[in-house]
């Protein structure tokens, strides 16, 4: 049966002890927040992905669609977030086709927490899950070890405390959609400007009862690249080489080309 | 005494035992290896003609809420306040050092007044000296006062690291309070557009958020407001200030941890 | 029980220097950070040592401060002992080496860069390692973004591994004009601020010519 296999744990420990380090992962050292409002819920995230102190991606998307009415924001290990949300969105789709109903937020939450608990925190996904369903609008947070939390406003990631400083001083009950959007983006901006692992732009997703979910990619873009002073094109002939030559290849059949492409390249 | 060529001069092994080399592998003598009774964040920000500093009155013993009336703001000289976080016994050492500094400076005639940059420099040298002796004073210090009538605000940690900024904070404050304070004073010079009332409000708001979210914080704190009136320093230290206007209305909405309705 | 670690990760971001035929440039960002927090957005890391000498020392910032204080003391005593004679940059560099090597077994955790005008009127850049090994160089970068900045300088200042397309000979290191050098510095830092999280806020540039000192400031990313 899948899961709960720690066969390689001791091997990895001994490899580590002998100096073989595990590979560096891309971390979405992140600021993510969620906030409820009258009639729905909002998710928001920054767009910086880091590897150590180096920016790996300046505009990555940390908001994932689990179902048309359920979205989630991820902090922690980038690959774990991508995979675990991809897996969950498939499961929810199958589940909703089987039951003939739109999926519920608690279904996603329960399924994800069971999956993460099984991996005892080794799957480093830290999620804020938000959505609307037949029972109303919901906002949850989920830690990599499997614990969950409920609240009208939540923040996760390395910039969560900067975001919370905004949420704790400005949140009030019965927010309108516009107020909640402003609050969430301001909370993310606090993370962007005060936490080094968070940065670049603000993405924001509005999930409303009875309306299609709306992803605002690049909702705020406060960090535009400054114009370069000079042009850095090289003149032809700058790079030295030992000899030059060329060979011409002919493609005999069109099918040679098609079979050489990987299957995944043709999807989407 | 042994007389074989390779061992001469050494006490005889059969009489005194073999040479004990264990001290060569021991570690240097150190004093504070870890803080014991501690204070949490100190926060401070500049405004158009002064500085506000706040620190709560809790001295924790690990996770124990040990002393709830610990004063952590020290007035030094006539126009400077030093806020101290970290180990409380080291705080008292700093208090004594500051007292000594005040006394020795008062001998001069006319008495020279100690300014914030003087005290900042003096404390930085002490902190760096102690870290270099591997015997640190386990504190984070916030120094507020004036330099040539302009507001002056600086930070020092247990390694002697130091910097100045229009908003500074130690400990949890650097994560939770700084984003609030930087909304008013992000870069040097922004304080020109901030009034005393705005600064005090921002500091109070930050102390509230710290009480919400820092498990070692207290809702009772001291607040120092330093301002200049006609070139004269005015230092006001408010004690037993309470965190006000807390909002716990979200609490009733929270039921269970996911699937619970009631 | 863990031992007290006298070194920390508090630091000013990065710095960079370029020497020209009749100028020298020293630039650094003004962000001071510890871990993932920004301590200050306005902490200048370029120290004016007097006698037309400027110094940055990237690394552990408490040690950097101590090194600057030591150097100022040395220069003051040099003036007292030598009738206020101006300290040349070659002598100042050697003094810096002595101070660094003097703490061989408890080193200052810094990578200093010093600029000044040499005795022959050319711009001079001296760079050091933490123990005092030093050299005069055409350009140097130090700090968190040094891995990003230094290859750029090798490519644009010294034209390393490039041919002149006209002659087919290796490109000679041209003596940069001042404006080109300043533009290179700006592009180097806006690029570094894009990819290195500890670089940002404000770029401070000190330009040294025979006419004196010019300080310029430019905005960088603040996230």
């Amino acid at each position: 049966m899948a899961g709960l296999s720690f066969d390689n744990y001791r091997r990895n420990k001994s490899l580590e002890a002998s100096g073989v380090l595990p590979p560096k992962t891309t971390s979405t050292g992140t600021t993510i927040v969620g906030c409820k409002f009258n009639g729905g819920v909002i998710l928001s995230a920054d767009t910086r992905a880091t590897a150590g102190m180096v920016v790996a991606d300046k505009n990555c998307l940390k908001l994932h669609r689990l179902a048309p009415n359920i979205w989630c924001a991820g902090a922690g290990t980038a690959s774990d977030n991508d995979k675990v949300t991809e897996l969950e969105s498939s499961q929810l789709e199958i589940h909703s086709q089987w039951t003939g109903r739109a999926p519920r937020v608690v279904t996603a939450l329960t399924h994800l927490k069971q999956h993460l608990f099984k991996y005892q925190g080794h799957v480093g996904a830290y999620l804020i899950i938000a959505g609307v369903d037949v029972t109303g609008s919901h906002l949850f947070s989920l830690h990599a070890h499997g614990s969950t939390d409920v609240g009208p406003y939540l923040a996760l990631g390395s910039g969560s405390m900067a975001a919370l400083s905004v949420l704790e001083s400005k949140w009030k009950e019965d927010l309108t959609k516009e107020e909640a959007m402003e609050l969430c983006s301001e909370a993310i901006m606090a993370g962007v400007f005060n936490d080094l692992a968070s940065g670049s732009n603000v993405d924001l997703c509005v999930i409303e009862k009875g309306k299609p979910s709306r992803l605002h990619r690049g909702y705020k873009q406060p960090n535009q690249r400054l114009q370069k002073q000079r042009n850095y094109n090289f003149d032809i002939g700058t790079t030295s080489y030992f000899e030059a030559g060329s060979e011409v290849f002919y493609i005999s059949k069109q099918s040679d080309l098609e079979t050489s492409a990987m299957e995944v390249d043709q999807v989407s | 005494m042994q007389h074989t060529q390779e061992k001469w001069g050494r006490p005889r092994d059969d009489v005194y035992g073999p040479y004990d080399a264990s001290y060569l592998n021991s570690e240097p003598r150190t004093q504070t290896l870890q803080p014991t009774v501690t204070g949490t964040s100190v926060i401070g920000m500049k405004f158009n003609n002064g500085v506000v500093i706040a620190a709560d009155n809790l001295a924790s013993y690990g996770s124990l809420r040990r002393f709830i009336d610990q004063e952590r703001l020290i007035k030094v000289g006539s126009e400077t306040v030093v806020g101290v976080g970290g180990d409380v016994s080291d705080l008292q050492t700093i208090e004594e050092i500051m007292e000594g500094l005040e006394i020795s400076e008062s001998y001069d005639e006319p008495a020279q007044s100690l300014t914030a940059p003087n005290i900042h420099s003096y404390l930085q040298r002490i902190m760096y000296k102690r870290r270099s002796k591997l015997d640190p004073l386990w504190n984070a210090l916030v120094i507020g006062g004036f330099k040539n009538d302009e507001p002056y605000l600086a930070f020092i940690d247990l390694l002697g690291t130091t910097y100045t900024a229009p908003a500074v904070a130690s400990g949890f404050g650097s994560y939770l309070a700084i984003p609030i304070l930087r909304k008013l004073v992000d870069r040097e010079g922004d304080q020109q557009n901030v009034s005393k009332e705005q600064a005090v409000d921002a500091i109070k708001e930050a102390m509230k958020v710290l009480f919400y979210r820092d498990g070692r914080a207290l809702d009772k704190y001291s607040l120092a407001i330093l301002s200049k009136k006609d070139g004269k320093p005015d230092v006001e230290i408010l004690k037993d200030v309470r965190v006000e206007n807390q909002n716990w209305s979200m609490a009733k909405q929270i039921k269970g941890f996911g699937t619970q309705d009631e | 029980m863990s031992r007290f670690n006298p070194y920390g990760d508090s630091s000013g971001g990065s710095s960079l220097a370029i020497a020209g035929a009749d100028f020298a440039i020293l630039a650094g960002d003004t962000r001071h950070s510890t871990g993932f927090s920004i301590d200050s957005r306005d902490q200048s890391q370029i120290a004016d040592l007097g006698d037309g000498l400027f110094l940055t020392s990237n690394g552990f910032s408490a040690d950097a401060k101590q090194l600057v204080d030591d150097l100022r003391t040395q220069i003051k005593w040099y003036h007292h002992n030598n009738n206020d004679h101006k300290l040349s940059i070659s002598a100042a560099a050697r003094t810096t080496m002595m101070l660094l090597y003097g703490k061989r077994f408890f080193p200052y955790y810094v990578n200093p860069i010093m600029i000044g005008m040499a005795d022959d009127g050319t711009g001079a850049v001296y760079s050091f390692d933490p123990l005092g090994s030093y050299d005069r160089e055409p350009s140097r970068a130090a700090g968190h973004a040094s891995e990003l900045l230094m290859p750029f300088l090798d490519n644009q200042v010294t034209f390393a591994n490039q041919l002149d397309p006209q002659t087919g000979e290796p490109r000679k290191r041209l003596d940069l004009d001042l404006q080109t050098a300043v533009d290179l510095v700006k592009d180097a830092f806006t690029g570094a601020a894009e990819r290195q999280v500890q670089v940002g806020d404000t770029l401070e540039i000190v330009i040294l010519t025979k006419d004196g000192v010019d300080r310029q400031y430019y905005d960088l990313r603040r996230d």
Side-chain angles (χ1 to χ4, degrees), chain B residues 27-28 33-34 124-125 128 131-132 134 136 138 157-167 174-175 182 186-188, chain C residues 1-8 10 32 37-43 60-63 65-66 69 103 106 108 219 222:
Chain B
E27 296 187 337
L33 280 170
Q34 53 185 326
Q124 193 276 334
R125 311 243 20 106
Y128 185 76
R131 88 97 215 190
S132 299
L134 300 185
W138 212 287
D157 72 7
L158 76 165
L159 299 171
T161 309
T162 187
Y163 50 84
T164 60
S174 61
Y175 303 108
R182 279 205 186 131
D186 191 39
R187 59 177 85 195
E188 195 59 55
Chain C
M1 192 177 288
S2 67
R3 264 240 267 156
F4 169 66
N5 179 194
Y7 295 111
S10 301
H32 191 281
S37 297
I38 297 167
D39 300 325
S40 175
R41 298 192 194 277
D42 310 284
Q43 187 67 216
F60 175 42
S61 69
D63 279 347
K65 185 183 184 307
Q66 181 62 27
D69 287 353
K103 278 178 67 66
F106 189 11
Y108 290 131
D219 283 343
R222 299 170 77 76

Side-chain angles (χ1 to χ4, degrees), chain B residues 166-229:
Chain B
V168 300
S170 71
F172 249 80
S174 61
Y175 303 108
L176 284 166
I178 283 289
I180 295 172
L181 306 182
R182 279 205 186 131
K183 263 184 236 164
L184 290 171
V185 284
D186 191 39
R187 59 177 85 195
E188 195 59 55
D190 286 352
Q191 65 268 20
Q192 300 299 342
N193 305 314
V194 178
S195 69
K196 179 169 120 180
E197 289 70 30
Q198 284 176 299
V200 170
D201 286 349
I203 289 282
K204 285 185 169 176
E205 189 65 33
M207 290 306 283
K208 182 169 81 180
V209 171
L210 279 168
F211 177 62
Y212 281 152
R213 234 66 212 211
D214 176 3
R216 305 279 173 270
L218 196 66
D219 57 349
K220 185 162 75 74
Y221 59 94
S222 295
L223 184 68
I225 305 167
L226 299 88
S227 54
K228 282 253 169 166
K229 279 179 188 148

Side-chain angles (χ1 to χ4, degrees), chain B residues 101-123:
Chain B
L101 178 68
E102 279 179 334
I103 291 167
S104 59
E105 286 299 301
S106 70
Y107 292 152
D108 293 337
E109 191 62 46
Q112 293 291 307
S113 65
L114 283 165
T115 64
N118 301 149
I119 292 157
H120 172 213
S121 178
Y122 188 74
L123 282 170

Side-chain angles (χ1 to χ4, degrees), chain C residues 154-174:
Chain C
D154 286 342
N155 188 250
Q156 292 294 320
V157 177
T158 53
F159 299 124
N161 306 105
Q162 292 174 57
L163 300 181
D164 185 336
Q166 261 73 49
T167 64
E169 293 297 306
R171 261 178 102 177
K172 293 272 185 306
R173 188 198 153 209
L174 301 173

Side-chain angles (χ1 to χ4, degrees), chain A residues 148 165 168-169 173 194, chain B residues 176 182 205 213 250 252 257:
Chain A
T148 52
S165 74
E168 290 290 9
S169 56
E173 275 183 288
N194 294 291
Chain B
L176 284 166
R182 279 205 186 131
E205 189 65 33
R213 234 66 212 211
M250 85 295 285
K252 65 179 182 291
F257 42 86

